Amino acid sequence: MTENKPDNMLALIAIIAAVTAMAVSLSLSIPLVSLSLERRGYGSDIIGLMGSLPALSFLLGSPFIPFWTRLFGVGKMLWGALILAAICILSLAISDNIYFWFFLRLLIGFSMAILFLISEAWINTIAREETRGRTIAIYVSVMTCGFAFGPVLINIIGAEGVFPFIVSSLIVFSAGFAFLLVGGKFPDLSAQSKFSILRFFKIAPMISAAALLVAFFDGSVLTLLPVYGVKTGQTMEMAVLMTSALLAGNVVLQLPIGWLADKYDRNWVILGCGILGVAGALLLPLTVSEPYLLWPMLIIWGGAVVGTYTIALVIMGQDFKGGDLITATAAVGALWGLGSLVGPTTAGVAMEIIKPHGMPITFAAACFIFVLLAIWQISTSKAARNNP
């Protein structure tokens, strides 16, 4: 199947609009499901298991996306996943069978994996090399805004009855209008990849580690930071604001990080982000009781950690094309699912063992491993250039 290349600016607008709509819908539906289950009397174990299903879908479904994309083409994959997600979210409103909800949540996770991963491959296909960093940074920033807006929307439309699920379904379906902008002209990602997903982990260890690290960050730090704040003496309101500060860093610092990636060696930029990630985790226990230090530290920390993922996507688009790119993106998606599953459990157990600072200590260790890997890759790349 041959698919035409759309106008780059139009395609960029379509991708960002579509991903933002999907991010809002996903971040709206996840707490809606949790709150609905809580009202129906289900325990935190069932709610937690339900919440883990999207990550499980990314882990299990991502490896199949390159094959499905070659088989059906990008356009059919995007529209099929979009319709499936909208129908499944709507179905949550018309059924209260817990087993059916588990099935629906898995399907929603699979469809979102398709939509997000193909979109990331697509944006790397249209990005120009000289501005790739800034292009990916805008994509990540706007997507983060979408994820942050979902919970806010609950306060506007409420969390009871079928109406919020209908709104969530309509939001995700609205992404289809963005796809209509490109007039059916989608990128061609149908070429056979020269490597498998497992092989990608060996070919690109730093990209793989960055995806795993940021998923671990999202799953552990963003989930447990309010709990950590309360345990270290903050009020509930202040503890929640700590998460908001992290998200603010995710949004406002990606464009400067992307600009650095366009001007300087991207390997050194991602290493710098990793070092700031270690520093932020180690400084958190020291600054949590010092507001004037805590808030700027959280903004810089959040932006730097997510910056490792932004630069990983930039390097991935720089090094891989066509069928190789969609396989690389699928590998990153699988790692994202793994990190999102492992992160909350690991950090939660660490907080029980090392009270109350187990979470930042655990993340500091994870970030330090990433830094060592980045230094190793920079060293090996330099040696390869000096000994062609």
Side-chain angles (χ1 to χ4, degrees):
M1 178 179 178
T2 301
E3 302 183 35
N4 298 318
K5 185 177 181 180
D7 174 78
N8 281 5
M9 182 56 67
L10 201 60
L12 179 62
I13 293 170
I15 296 165
I16 291 177
V19 168
T20 303
M22 290 182 284
V24 171
S25 178
L26 187 61
S27 63
L28 171 62
S29 64
I30 287 176
L32 279 177
V33 168
S34 298
L35 292 170
S36 179
L37 290 175
E38 194 275 334
R39 284 196 302 270
R40 288 158 57 186
Y42 288 99
S44 58
D45 54 345
I46 297 297
I47 295 173
L49 182 59
M50 185 73 76
S52 71
L53 290 180
L56 183 63
S57 294
F58 265 78
L59 176 60
L60 299 179
S62 295
F64 297 98
I65 290 176
F67 172 75
W68 293 338
T69 303
R70 289 194 298 271
L71 185 64
F72 298 111
V74 170
K76 290 180 180 177
M77 285 286 288
L78 287 173
W79 278 107
L82 192 72
I83 293 169
L84 177 63
I87 291 174
C88 287
I89 293 173
L90 187 61
S91 298
L92 291 170
I94 60 178
S95 172
D96 58 3
N97 185 297
I98 187 66
Y99 299 106
F100 187 47
W101 272 38
F102 273 107
F103 177 66
L104 290 173
R105 292 292 288 153
L106 277 172
L107 289 182
I108 292 169
F110 280 129
S111 60
M112 289 295 180
I114 293 170
L115 292 164
F116 279 108
L117 297 183
I118 291 181
S119 294
E120 288 187 353
W122 187 1
I123 199 166
N124 253 323
T125 298
I126 64 170
R128 294 185 294 120
E129 192 56 45
E130 59 270 24
T131 58
R132 186 181 301 278
R134 280 161 285 183
T135 301
I136 300 298
I138 292 170
Y139 167 85
V140 173
S141 295
V142 177
M143 181 173 62
T144 301
C145 287
F147 277 115
F149 183 67
V152 174
L153 193 56
I154 290 180
N155 294 324
I156 299 173
I157 64 175
E160 297 185 10
V162 301
F163 180 67
F165 290 100
I166 294 173
V167 171
S168 182
S169 177
L170 291 175
I171 290 173
V172 73
F173 193 72
S174 70
F177 292 104
F179 296 148
L180 290 175
L181 282 176
V182 298
K185 299 177 181 178
F186 298 100
D188 184 4
L189 300 173
S190 61
Q192 182 73 40
S193 176
K194 296 189 287 291
F195 51 83
S196 66
I197 284 180
L198 291 177
R199 175 72 176 164
F200 173 80
F201 301 148
K202 184 176 181 181
I203 295 172
M206 188 166 65
I207 296 175
S208 302
L212 195 59
L213 178 71
V214 178
F216 190 96
F217 179 78
D218 275 358
S220 60
V221 177
L222 286 177
T223 301
L224 295 173
L225 189 60
V227 178
Y228 177 76
V230 171
K231 286 182 178 294
T232 52
Q234 301 289 340
T235 64
M236 179 60 72
E237 292 77 12
M238 292 295 285
V240 172
L241 282 176
M242 289 169 66
T243 304
S244 299
L246 274 184
L247 290 172
N250 294 358
V251 174
V252 301
L253 292 184
Q254 296 318 297
L255 194 55
I257 290 171
W259 179 85
L260 289 172
D262 289 333
K263 299 297 180 181
Y264 302 101
D265 188 315
R266 289 161 180 172
N267 290 321
W268 286 102
V269 176
I270 200 172
L271 174 60
C273 288
I275 292 171
L276 288 174
V278 175
L282 294 177
L283 287 172
L284 181 59
L286 303 176
T287 60
V288 70
S289 300
E290 304 291 339
Y292 294 108
L293 298 175
L294 176 64
W295 303 116
M297 189 280 293
L298 287 173
I299 291 171
I300 295 171
W301 186 36
V305 173
V306 174
T308 62
Y309 184 70
T310 298
I311 306 305
L313 289 182
V314 173
I315 296 173
M316 189 165 65
Q318 165 192 293
D319 294 344
F320 301 100
K321 310 296 178 185
D324 290 344
L325 179 59
I326 189 64
T327 298
T329 307
V332 165
L335 288 168
W336 188 276
L338 178 61
S340 298
L341 284 173
V342 172
T345 303
T346 304
V349 170
M351 285 182 73
E352 289 298 315
I353 296 173
I354 309 173
K355 297 181 179 181
H357 302 301
M359 180 269 288
I361 291 173
T362 300
F363 187 74
C367 225
F368 183 68
I369 293 170
F370 171 79
V371 167
L372 292 179
L373 183 61
I375 292 172
W376 173 80
Q377 181 150 331
I378 290 171
S379 299
T380 54
S381 298
K382 184 177 180 180
R385 287 195 300 269
N386 292 336
N387 299 285

